[in-house]
Amino acid sequence: MATRREMLQLIGGTAALTGLPGLALAAPSVELRGGERRLVFVFLRGGMDGLSAVPAYGDPQFAARRGDLAVGAPGTLGGALDLDGSFGLSPYLAEMHKLYAARELAVLHAVASPYRERSHFDAQNLLENGTAKPFGRESGWLNAALAAGAHAVSQSRGLALGQSIPLVLRGSAHVSSWSPSALPAPDADLLERLAELYRGDALLARSFAAAREAQGMLEGRDAARGMGGGPQAVVALAKAAGEILGKHDGPRVASIDFGGWDTHINQLGEYSALTRNLRLLDRSVATLKDALGTAWRQTAVLVVTEFGRTVAPNGSSGTDHGTAGAAFVAGGAVRGGRVIADWPGLGASALYEGRDLRPTLDLRSLFKAALAAQLGLSEAALESHVFPDSRAVRPLEGLFA
Amino acid sequence: MALDSVIAVNRFGLGAGPGELAAAAADPRGWLAKQAGEPAPAYLEFSKLAHSSEALKEYPRWIASLRPVRAGMQDSSSQGSRQAPRTVEETFRGHFGPIMREEIGARLAAAAATPAPFQERLVWFWANHFTVSAEKPLVFALVGSFEREAIRPQVTGRFADLLLAAARHPAMIFYLDNHRSVRQGWQPLRPARSAAFPSPTGLNENLAREILELHTLGVNGGYTQADVTEFARVLTGWTVRAQGSPGFLFDPARHEPGTRTLLGRTYAQDGVAQGEAVLRDLAAHPATALHVATKLARHFIADEPPPQAVARIARAFSDTDGDLPSVYAALLDCPEAWERPLAKLKTPIEYVVSCLRALPALRTAQPQALFFTLRGMGQRPFFAPSPQGWPDTTQAWAGADALWKRIEWSGIVAARAGSGVDPLHLASESYGDALGAATRRAIERAESRQQGLALWLASPEFQRR
């Protein structure tokens, strides 16, 4: 099936189309399709241990290199859930494994952003700002994509689930944010007066308008009840994301922040932070799917982290900051059921700087493909505005339906 | 002069309490300088709070209490129960929850009434620079005592002493996993309690890396992965004693002996003194001066710190060997610090505390209610999201949801205050003649005092600093 961009080119180009309403009406199916696609960005902050989430049990070095942290082969006690005979999923990702079986989840491995140092905060900043260096830009690539696609996609506003808007969604395109509240809503007259008062403060005016929109969208919905806070909050945010994105006239892009993946100690067992996080991720993805309803069919969910962790355990049954790791793409818009990895191996000479999984795929290849498919962005826009100087990084082909 | 006092109480302080603007008006810079150089006030609110050693004494007992919990977890999973069992963290928080409530209540109450709000801001600045977070269960019962024991006594002292106090505190050791970092070949006296908590077998580089990246040199400060690993070896043995008299412990048995080379300098094997020597050299490094100066300028002046201000503060840091009152004096000497606009947004904690300062009647609110409010606004006290601490830019706190939560709170506070508070008087207590015309007009035209108060607390002037 042709992409939206290809369809537009066939018709005669974006500019001509948007300039002439009559022509837009001539291609209703294209408009509908472009406008119905959703994109959710889930950022696992702290550095998810990719070899625990997606054990490469088929690699002959895996068991020895991982030591106590090696997840067993499928079929063994506490072993991996098999993906393709070489890679498996953590046993705590059972719902995601079902999606994989339904070809609605693809697994990427040995992926990394262009960042090659080991600071969380620089790594997160770079991954979000879309340039090839930390603090290379003060805004984020997902916002840049919204700004670039605003004229092509009818519904393009973004929504951050959580109290703050992460860098990836900050920038010139208007985005909102939402999280559950324990307090009663302010009265309507106060809000009108504040709208007037904020006219002299551009920043507050913009946030205020966005907040009113988000509040309107969730009025009376399940997700609006209940309180935020605690590790379980991410599941509630996933539910809200699904409810808002599932609306016919809602935003089409959302971000969810999920922290706590910096597992320097005790990754093992039922009670570890890593286990808890994997379970919450699994529940969040399943919850998002349920809450989206039929809109799941047009949705792609990107699940990424700022870097992987060391291949070998450190001295504390945990792992230190590493380089390449794993990522997930879920949704009805995804051609899933496969592992995408140019596997570098775990032999001593294969490791990056002798300690980390070597990156063989740039995460921007995933992001570019997702933005092209889900937001209809052109390659030119992706290379100039969204991921500057990224021409050499080719979008992954055939990942999105 | 009028504007200077507005800047002193709002940008450098915690918002005006009753009469505070007038008190600062005679000599705004002197009012701040005095707070920056004097020892901390003895807060009555802290007198009942326990020393970290008291909480640590509870640890062995708490860990013992875990066993039945775990057995319970196994039972419930084997029965296929859908009710999630309590995790170790939930159990821990249940055990130490009352301590946390008291800590948060005391911290907010002290800030709401303090006669030295600039010094309190400095305490928070340094507590954020040396972040420990209750997000990590082991640290949950220690974050409050960390601030009182490692930060507050050193805030008007020298940076090197502050750095050492922070690095040695059990909260920091636990937060950045150094109690799990040991030399190659170390054998515990007793075998591990269970397979879920195996004994450490080697280095854990978390503390070493974050000291270099976050506490001293900064991420571009010129260190390498080899420096991180070498520093981690230096710090092996820096751990926590939980039995007997609990607290910092240097355990020679865990320490990797030997001469270490770090950032081009050589450090002889000297036990705990080796690590102390490295920390003192890091404190004196020019990259540290620049890093600290940049963060201070960003916090107090502007998201994009003016380069002249950064240079002035860094010079004072280097010239005085990190004498913090001199560093603060340099900050207050920056002309950029006294210019409009007041462009930064208060963080949620600063915002809520400034409400408490402006409205003394509000200070009787339950700590739990304030905690839930701050959680909703995205800043649970003592629960910073990562070792980097809370963000310190306006954009990070200006999102739609964060603003909405402040507006909700303004409405609730105003409803509680009723018609007994004159909002225009309150605004002039905080801003004097510098109050913007639009805000004055909005308050004057409000349908009630109550609505006027909500408008003032949600106004740009009250939210910014």
Side-chain angles (χ1 to χ4, degrees):
Chain A
M1 189 180 287
T3 65
R4 177 183 154 76
R5 181 175 54 77
E6 287 161 347
M7 288 295 283
L8 291 178
Q9 280 169 350
L10 287 175
I11 297 164
T14 315
L17 186 67
T18 50
L20 295 167
L23 268 183
L25 285 174
S29 63
V30 176
E31 274 305 316
L32 188 66
R33 189 165 174 275
E36 284 296 318
R37 296 208 146 212
R38 277 90 165 164
L39 183 63
V40 182
F41 178 79
V42 180
F43 196 1
L44 311 179
R45 289 184 197 268
M48 176 183 70
D49 183 23
L51 288 171
S52 286
V54 186
Y57 70 85
D59 186 298
Q61 308 273 354
F62 179 74
R65 289 253 176 248
R66 291 294 278 177
D68 290 347
L69 299 186
V71 180
T76 60
L77 186 66
L81 309 171
D82 194 32
L83 294 175
D84 65 350
S86 298
F87 296 96
L89 276 187
S90 158
Y92 306 116
L93 297 177
E95 294 294 326
M96 289 169 67
H97 191 247
K98 287 181 200 159
L99 292 179
Y100 183 90
R103 300 187 180 278
E104 292 187 333
L105 177 88
V107 176
L108 285 73
H109 220 323
V111 293
S113 78
Y115 182 72
R116 290 292 175 274
E117 305 296 324
R118 296 189 182 86
S119 155
H120 291 297
F121 317 111
D122 274 9
Q124 291 175 16
N125 187 283
L126 177 148
L127 188 137
E128 292 181 83
N129 77 42
T131 74
K133 53 181 191 203
F135 299 90
R137 184 161 68 174
E138 287 179 0
S139 53
W141 59 262
L142 198 46
N143 189 289
L146 290 173
H151 61 286
V153 181
S154 55
Q155 293 293 344
S156 62
R157 276 167 297 115
L159 177 77
L161 278 301
Q163 291 101 346
S164 61
I165 298 173
L167 178 64
V168 72
L169 257 183
R170 286 188 218 154
S172 63
H174 287 212
V175 297
S176 191
S177 57
W178 182 89
S179 71
S181 177
L183 299 178
D187 73 70
D189 185 48
L190 176 65
L191 294 177
E192 291 310 316
R193 288 166 191 259
L194 284 172
E196 178 70 20
L197 179 55
Y198 291 156
R199 280 172 58 180
D201 189 313
L203 180 73
L204 295 185
R206 183 172 143 167
S207 289
F208 183 67
R212 291 183 87 179
E213 278 176 15
Q215 292 299 323
M217 280 179 239
L218 268 155
E219 210 168 6
R221 291 190 172 257
D222 272 1
R225 289 193 282 273
M227 311 253 287
Q232 315 288 330
V234 66
V235 181
L237 296 182
K239 185 175 171 67
E243 294 194 343
I244 297 183
L245 262 60
K247 283 173 74 88
H248 187 66
D249 54 351
R252 290 293 176 259
V253 170
S255 74
I256 299 175
D257 252 30
F258 183 1
W261 294 85
D262 190 22
T263 49
H264 285 274
I265 59 168
N266 295 349
Q267 289 187 185
L268 286 169
E270 295 284 312
Y271 319 106
S272 75
L274 179 62
T275 300
R276 177 202 68 187
N277 287 346
L278 289 168
R279 285 184 158 140
L280 286 172
L281 173 63
D282 198 47
R283 267 177 63 202
S284 296
V285 172
T287 301
L288 180 62
K289 175 178 190 281
D290 288 348
L292 276 164
T294 58
W296 171 256
R297 292 203 300 265
Q298 289 93 27
T299 298
V301 185
L302 309 178
V303 182
V304 301
T305 189
E306 73 261 29
F307 48 52
R309 309 189 68 81
T310 48
V311 172
N314 63 11
S316 327
S317 302
T319 45
D320 290 328
H321 304 179
T323 308
F328 305 102
V329 195
V334 176
R335 289 184 170 141
R338 59 215 168 106
V339 178
I340 297 168
D342 176 8
W343 189 244
L346 297 173
S349 62
L351 298 185
Y352 180 74
E353 295 187 348
R355 59 182 256 162
D356 303 339
L357 182 61
R358 182 175 298 279
T360 55
L361 179 63
D362 191 320
L363 272 173
R364 291 175 297 176
S365 294
L366 167 64
F367 299 156
K368 283 176 137 184
L371 293 176
Q374 299 301 101
L375 299 186
L377 258 64
S378 69
E379 279 193 38
L382 286 169
E383 283 164 14
S384 57
H385 299 303
V386 183
F387 296 103
D389 305 319
S390 68
R391 181 159 300 175
V393 182
R394 306 309 305 158
L396 280 173
E397 286 180 16
L399 183 54
F400 296 93
Chain B
M1 262 335 256
L3 182 60
D4 277 4
S5 56
V6 169
I7 286 176
V9 301
N10 289 296
R11 174 174 287 166
F12 290 102
L14 283 164
E20 190 174 346
L21 189 68
D27 179 12
R29 292 169 202 225
W31 181 74
L32 294 171
K34 190 162 176 293
Q35 299 176 39
E38 286 187 347
Y43 292 109
L44 197 60
E45 289 86 353
F46 296 163
S47 59
K48 280 192 230 149
L49 301 175
H51 193 268
S52 57
S53 59
E54 295 299 314
L56 285 168
K57 274 181 197 156
E58 294 273 308
Y59 274 45
R61 193 158 69 86
W62 171 74
I63 287 166
S65 77
L66 272 182
R67 291 201 184 96
V69 175
R70 295 187 164 184
M73 289 174 86
Q74 274 147 12
D75 285 345
S76 66
S77 59
S78 66
Q79 288 162 9
S81 163
R82 286 184 59 81
Q83 183 66 39
R86 292 184 87 195
T87 62
V88 170
E89 289 171 37
E90 285 162 348
T91 309
F92 191 94
R93 286 175 187 180
H95 188 90
F96 288 107
I99 291 184
M100 178 58 87
R101 278 194 289 281
E102 285 177 22
E103 289 281 358
I104 291 172
R107 189 185 198 246
L108 294 173
T114 182
F118 177 44
Q119 190 178 81
E120 191 65 10
R121 285 278 304 282
L122 290 166
V123 167
W124 296 359
F125 171 84
W126 288 116
N128 201 45
H129 181 82
F130 295 103
T131 288
V132 298
S133 172
E135 286 285 3
K136 192 155 194 162
L138 268 184
V139 187
F140 186 85
L142 300 171
V143 277
S145 51
F146 171 82
E147 191 172 287
R148 287 195 308 283
E149 294 159 19
I151 304 293
R152 289 184 186 275
Q154 312 293 343
V155 155
T156 53
R158 305 194 92 79
F159 177 78
D161 296 329
L162 178 59
L163 172 66
L164 271 147
R168 290 166 55 102
H169 196 277
M172 185 66 80
I173 303 260
F174 282 150
Y175 183 51
L176 295 176
D177 305 315
N178 212 64
H179 63 300
R180 309 287 298 169
S181 190
V182 299
R183 70 173 169 82
Q184 291 294 324
W186 175 77
Q187 293 291 328
L189 292 174
R190 283 185 301 265
R193 276 183 305 275
S194 76
F197 291 111
S199 298
T201 56
L203 290 184
N204 186 310
E205 62 188 37
N206 204 11
L207 178 64
R209 178 184 302 283
E210 303 303 19
I211 287 177
L212 292 168
E213 176 182 332
L214 300 175
H215 302 165
T216 60
L217 306 179
V219 70
N220 299 315
Y223 60 91
T224 64
Q225 174 62 42
D227 291 320
V228 173
T229 310
E230 194 75 340
F231 190 23
R233 291 193 186 101
V234 170
L235 290 176
T236 47
W238 288 47
T239 185
V240 177
R241 188 206 319 267
Q243 312 276 358
S245 64
F248 175 77
L249 168 71
F250 177 76
D251 179 3
R254 294 170 181 239
H255 182 65
E256 178 85 49
T259 300
R260 304 261 88 88
T261 302
L262 193 69
L263 293 159
R265 290 199 190 192
T266 302
Y267 298 87
Q269 164 58 21
D270 197 8
V272 69
Q274 186 181 46
E276 290 167 351
V278 174
L279 287 170
R280 292 200 179 279
D281 283 347
L282 288 172
H285 197 287
T288 300
L290 191 64
H291 182 213
V292 167
T294 304
K295 285 188 73 174
L296 275 169
R298 181 181 299 123
H299 183 71
F300 284 103
I301 302 176
D303 288 355
E304 285 298 320
Q308 303 90 327
V310 173
R312 181 192 288 260
I313 300 165
R315 201 176 323 118
F317 189 104
S318 293
D319 288 352
T320 64
D321 199 14
D323 175 59
L324 294 175
S326 305
V327 172
Y328 309 146
L331 166 69
L332 296 176
D333 281 344
C334 294
E336 300 88 351
W338 299 93
E339 286 167 6
R340 270 186 188 254
L342 276 74
K344 298 223 26 153
L345 212 57
K346 292 172 181 171
T347 65
I349 294 178
E350 290 164 9
Y351 174 75
V352 167
V353 166
S354 65
C355 291
L356 299 177
R357 288 180 77 77
L359 295 161
L362 201 58
R363 297 177 199 168
T364 57
Q366 291 296 315
Q368 196 114 356
L370 297 176
F371 179 78
F372 285 140
T373 296
L374 287 166
R375 185 171 79 177
M377 292 178 181
Q379 196 180 29
R380 293 192 283 169
F382 297 130
F383 281 81
S386 79
Q388 197 186 25
W390 298 106
D392 201 10
T393 59
T394 295
Q395 282 295 337
W397 297 112
D401 189 68
L403 175 62
W404 187 260
K405 298 284 170 56
R406 292 174 196 222
I407 294 170
E408 287 181 338
W409 159 261
S410 300
I412 293 292
V413 168
R416 217 186 118 152
S419 55
V421 176
D422 174 359
L424 209 53
H425 174 72
L426 209 62
S428 71
E429 283 261 285
S430 188
Y431 257 72
D433 297 338
L435 185 65
T439 298
R440 178 182 299 276
R441 198 164 53 240
I443 298 172
E444 282 170 351
R445 292 180 183 175
E447 65 175 15
S448 64
R449 278 188 159 187
Q450 189 175 318
Q451 189 183 58
L453 179 57
L455 285 164
W456 166 238
L457 297 179
S459 69
E461 282 95 333
F462 195 82
Q463 292 199 54
R464 290 182 177 275
R465 64 165 174 82

